[in-house]
């Protein structure tokens, strides 16, 4: 066999081995997903209504300390509300809460 052909054959073997090295984990992850990746039949967490969430002790503490960002995060945590809805709710609540 000529040296050029021999070298080409060696390169093909090495590149094939490298491809297997990198592709195998990807293929394996699709064929056998990790247990945490498999969807389970657990019901989604129960979400509070906005009005009920405003009575949460932790949220009220944040309002007392005037930590608006933390209050918005807590409201979103409790209700699943979007950022704008939670911010608008906290703004309105803040006006009433600190006014009275």
């Amino acid at each position: 066999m000529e040296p050029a052909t021999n070298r080409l054959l060696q390169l093909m073997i090495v590149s094939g081995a490298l491809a297997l090295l990198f592709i195998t984990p990807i293929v394996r992850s699709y064929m056998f997903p990790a247990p945490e990746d498999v969807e389970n039949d657990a019901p989604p967490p129960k979400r509070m209504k906005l009005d009920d969430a405003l009575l949460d002790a932790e949220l009220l503490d944040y309002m007392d300390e005037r930590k608006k960002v933390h209050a918005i995060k807590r409201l979103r945590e409790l209700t699943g509300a979007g950022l704008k809805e939670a911010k608008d709710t906290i703004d309105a609540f803040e006006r009433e809460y600190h006014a009275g």
Side-chain angles (χ1 to χ4, degrees), residues 21-82:
L21 182 69
F22 290 106
I23 292 174
T24 301
I26 296 169
V27 171
R28 187 175 294 135
S29 69
Y30 281 108
M31 292 178 63
F32 309 104
E36 63 269 5
D37 293 341
V38 178
E39 292 183 28
N40 57 14
D41 294 333
K46 196 155 190 159
R47 299 292 185 177
M48 294 177 124
K49 293 181 181 177
L50 281 174
D51 295 339
D52 297 336
L54 292 175
L55 300 175
D56 179 65
E58 189 176 340
L59 189 130
L60 292 174
D61 288 342
Y62 289 141
M63 296 300 289
D64 284 338
E65 298 166 7
R66 296 188 185 265
K67 293 183 176 179
K68 192 171 171 180
V69 172
H70 293 290
I72 292 169
K73 285 181 182 180
R74 179 67 180 160
L75 186 65
R76 292 185 72 198
E77 225 174 70
L78 294 170
T79 63

